[in-house]
Amino acid sequence: MTRELTEITVIGGDKTGIVAEVTSLLFERGINIEDIDQAVREGLFRMTMHVDTAEMVCTEGTLKDALSDLADELGVEIQVRFPADRETKQIAVLVTKESHCLEALFEAWANGDLGADIGVVIGNHDHLEPLAEHYGVPFHDIGDEKGSPDEDQLLGLLEEYDVDLIVLARYIRILGPNVVFRYEDRIINVHPSLLPSFPGAAAYRQALEEGVRVTGVTAHYVTTDLDQGPIITQRALDVPDDIERDELKQRGQPLEAEALLEAVKLHLNDDVTVHRGRTSLRDDSDSEQYQLGLSREAIDATPDRPIDGKADVLRSDDSEGNGNADETEEAVPTDD
């Protein structure tokens, strides 16, 4: 049975003693730490803990107050998210100029298929403001004339709209650790390649230049390492001879929207978990409702013969027939 764990995130300057102070406070209140992860980027420290508060010897309010006082004492920021903090989660969608992923999210939301509210759309250009207005969602442009975003303004908006999940709907900008650390495992991006192949910019062009026959798209959690976060869903597409980059991109866009939308639903339904950089479906999730990778048709079309083993069977039959069953061959290591 899956336990609902409280998430505690500590953000601040990198200095000694933070981990000991926070973990000691939790221990004193009967709180068990189930998972802990730490990182430092550009002098910024982040610690994320998932803790079991089912048998803690204080109220939720008392714990929040105690952690707030400790944060002031240490000069850090401490966020606490209890499992039942909100029934309807709030999504912030970050965009640049491409609309297809935002359209898919809006359509699912309008049809009641999303499982959360899109509270705000934030862009580094104002190109998609009319689409947000069409759905009655506030739009904020945080980019300068070159499209460079103001991350302080971004953080202020995320706090103002009390955001639970950030969705990068073809947001063509890299988020800094100041944002990523505060929303660990709560930022989902879609990248136009089968990661880890072709990370970074111009992924479709990279695929064409490398001459691959199959490429695809990947929805993944965002980390401070570019396009290396835990993979949630992927889709594959064929790369025909002589196809141009624009046509390949056009073929990939519907798959980008589909993979991103499914990844968002997996997250919102709490059907996916992240452990040591890898995602997996929870034991109690309905795996049949998701297409994490290839379609059922593609899986059924995959050949299932030949496979290793026939030589071993023949060798065994030969050994039995010639009375050589006791003869053994030195094992040869493989790459498995």
Side-chain angles (χ1 to χ4, degrees):
M1 182 176 179
T2 303
R3 281 175 291 182
E4 292 187 324
L5 300 177
T6 295
E7 181 182 277
I8 298 175
T9 303
V10 182
I11 305 287
D14 184 25
K15 56 185 177 181
T16 59
I18 297 176
V19 177
E21 292 283 355
V22 176
T23 54
S24 295
L25 184 150
L26 298 177
F27 174 76
E28 291 167 359
R29 287 156 179 78
I31 297 170
N32 186 50
I33 299 173
E34 299 284 338
D35 185 62
I36 183 170
D37 182 62
Q38 306 167 51
V40 178
R41 292 289 187 278
E42 301 174 12
L44 187 67
F45 170 81
R46 186 269 303 163
M47 176 172 66
T48 302
M49 295 178 288
H50 292 92
V51 303
D52 186 357
T53 52
E55 298 183 3
M56 66 179 178
V57 294
C58 65
T59 65
E60 292 183 359
T62 302
L63 176 62
K64 283 188 173 182
D65 289 343
L67 287 171
S68 178
D69 291 342
L70 181 61
D72 291 341
E73 180 183 331
L74 297 174
V76 298
E77 176 185 332
I78 300 181
Q79 303 171 350
V80 185
R81 299 176 69 243
F82 291 102
D85 275 349
R86 180 188 288 111
E87 292 184 4
T88 302
K89 292 183 172 61
Q90 296 294 315
I91 295 176
V93 185
L94 273 58
V95 297
T96 297
K97 292 183 178 180
E98 296 180 23
S99 67
H100 55 287
C101 288
L102 180 60
E103 289 176 27
L105 291 165
F106 272 145
E107 288 176 6
W109 179 49
N111 293 332
D113 296 331
L114 192 58
D117 282 340
I118 299 177
V120 63
V121 177
I122 303 171
N124 62 320
H125 293 279
D126 63 1
H127 193 74
L128 298 183
E129 185 172 4
L131 184 58
E133 290 179 347
H134 176 74
Y135 284 91
V137 175
F139 183 95
H140 295 269
D141 179 6
I142 61 168
D144 60 17
E145 63 279 359
K146 295 182 179 179
S148 298
D150 183 332
E151 287 205 343
D152 289 336
Q153 186 180 359
L154 173 59
L155 284 172
L157 289 169
L158 296 175
E159 183 177 356
E160 176 185 344
Y161 286 94
D162 203 10
V163 169
D164 297 288
L165 176 66
I166 303 170
V167 180
L168 307 186
R170 300 300 289 131
Y171 179 67
I172 317 300
R173 289 289 174 175
I174 297 173
L175 294 177
N178 210 25
V179 177
V180 175
F181 278 175
R182 285 173 166 78
Y183 294 88
E184 190 79 8
D185 296 336
R186 290 192 287 145
I187 308 174
I188 297 177
N189 181 45
V190 64
H191 182 75
S193 80
L194 291 174
L195 292 173
S197 297
F198 314 134
Y204 288 122
R205 182 184 303 149
Q206 291 183 62
L208 289 174
E209 290 174 349
E210 292 297 327
V212 298
R213 291 294 185 181
V214 176
T215 188
V217 305
T218 302
H220 64 97
Y221 284 111
V222 172
T223 65
T224 52
D225 297 314
L226 178 64
D227 294 331
Q228 296 183 41
I231 291 170
I232 309 172
T233 58
Q234 293 185 302
R235 296 288 188 274
L237 72 150
D238 210 34
V239 185
D241 290 341
D242 301 325
I243 192 171
E244 298 292 335
R245 186 195 70 90
D246 287 347
E247 184 181 352
L248 183 62
K249 179 178 179 180
Q250 188 175 29
R251 291 188 183 191
Q253 284 183 341
L255 298 182
E256 293 172 20
E258 182 180 285
L260 179 62
L261 181 57
E262 179 157 280
V264 169
K265 289 180 178 179
L266 277 158
H267 178 91
L268 293 172
N269 292 338
D270 201 26
D271 281 335
V272 64
T273 182
V274 181
H275 184 66
R276 300 192 185 281
R278 182 179 176 86
T279 63
S280 59
L281 285 178
R282 295 190 186 276
D283 294 338
D284 56 350
S285 65
D286 182 6
S287 60
E288 294 299 319
Q289 69 175 310
Y290 299 116
Q291 180 194 324
L292 300 183
L294 292 175
S295 66
R296 173 52 57 187
E297 292 78 11
I299 294 172
D300 291 342
T302 302
D304 61 0
R305 291 291 185 277
I307 58 175
D308 284 344
K310 187 171 183 178
D312 295 334
V313 173
L314 293 174
R315 184 181 294 111
S316 175
D317 291 344
D318 183 64
S319 298
E320 291 175 3
N322 292 285
N324 296 326
D326 292 333
E327 294 183 8
T328 58
E329 186 176 354
E330 183 179 356
V332 178
T334 70
D335 293 332
D336 293 341

